[in-house]
Amino acid sequence: MPLTPTKKIWMDGEIVNWEDAQVHVLTHTLHYGTGAFEGIRAYKTDRGPAVFRLREHIVRLFNSAKIFMIEVPFTVDELVEATKEMVRVNDMGDGCYIRPLVYLGYGEMGLNPLPCPVRVAIAVWPWGAYLGDEGLENGITLKVSSWVRHDPNAMPTAAKGVGMYVNSSLAKVEALKSGYDEAVLLASDGQVSECTGENLFVVRGGVIYTPHSSDAGALEGITQDSVITIANDLGYEVRQGTILRTDLYLADEAFLTGTAAEVVPVRAVDDRIVGEGRRGPMTTEIQRTYFSAVRGELPQYEHWLDRVDS
Ligand code: PPE
């Protein structure tokens, strides 16, 4: 998706102009992929922009860094404040996507990352519906990928690591080239893991199922967690456990969740129509509630919002 430049980017404690946020070509992470990032959204509310579950995202960034033994030279509080500052100084009153990145900078080469300087950047930009407005409304198509999700002992699936997304990109390209919107990756034991940048839910017989992230080698999604809470509050039963590809084929409804993607209905998987082949009633209700929550319209979810102007 093309970027819309904003004004300022936070780099290592300094605020620099968008076009000056540059790194050297021998930046370590560019070569070896060791680093961690986050994807966060801010939404427009009636009391100025609010960042959704900001602290949880920043804590996950630190956890990812810890797995890679990268010591972030800032505190959680400092990056929480810096994130809000970026939303403010870039006038993102209508909402935006936020990308914090922890990476290894210039000065060392070779596989040992430990002596590398640790760098941190936070950028924001306006980002519309990640899988398209049409997808949000009418659902997208999925292809079970021939690429298998990371084995947790080959790549730490609990981390949102920079180089780990090579696996997602391979699956995404395969799905797009085959005429589908998005890929589903299976874990090496054959169970459904997640999509390239989203967690997955299916509805069967009125019950909602989603893979248990640590068993399925999926990222523990913050949107997934929010949607589980929302679905429970709406009175639905949610079970976390093993899902097979045939559960996708036979689902009454299916949907994806992610910060960028938000809540996206699935209308077909491997050319099998899911349910009625359009956004199902439970998906619609959960999607609507999610969008109301992030926009600050539901007092019971107010604690998920971090107001930028207060
Ligand atoms: N799984 C993967 C592999 C993943 O990358 C994401 C987020 C999720 C699940 C959902 O996690 P959460 O955002 O906490 O609900 N993917 C981010 C990256 C998207 C991108 O294109 O880059 C995101 O949604 O921001």
Side-chain angles (χ1 to χ4, degrees), residues 27-40:
T27 294
H28 198 272
T29 300
L30 202 52
H31 296 251
Y32 304 112
T34 320
F37 69 102
E38 270 304 318
I40 314 175

Side-chain angles (χ1 to χ4, degrees), residues 143-149 165-178 180-185 194-196:
K143 173 182 167 48
V144 173
S145 186
S146 70
W147 296 98
V148 170
R149 199 58 171 151
Y165 280 81
V166 173
N167 178 249
S168 286
S169 290
L170 287 165
K172 184 80 186 183
V173 168
E174 180 189 63
L176 293 175
K177 291 279 184 194
S178 312
Y180 301 82
D181 299 316
E182 176 57 312
V184 185
L185 291 122
E194 60 180 341
C195 295
T196 65

Side-chain angles (χ1 to χ4, degrees), residues 118-191:
V118 179
R119 313 289 303 269
V120 184
I122 305 171
V124 306
W125 62 86
W127 232 15
Y130 187 68
L131 293 168
D133 290 320
E134 156 81 17
L136 276 181
E137 187 94 11
N138 298 319
I140 59 155
T141 59
L142 295 181
K143 173 182 167 48
V144 173
S145 186
S146 70
W147 296 98
V148 170
R149 199 58 171 151
H150 302 297
D151 178 284
N153 287 314
M155 281 289 214
T157 49
K160 201 167 165 59
V162 173
M164 298 175 64
Y165 280 81
V166 173
N167 178 249
S168 286
S169 290
L170 287 165
K172 184 80 186 183
V173 168
E174 180 189 63
L176 293 175
K177 291 279 184 194
S178 312
Y180 301 82
D181 299 316
E182 176 57 312
V184 185
L185 291 122
L186 306 180
S188 43
D189 66 359
Q191 66 173 300

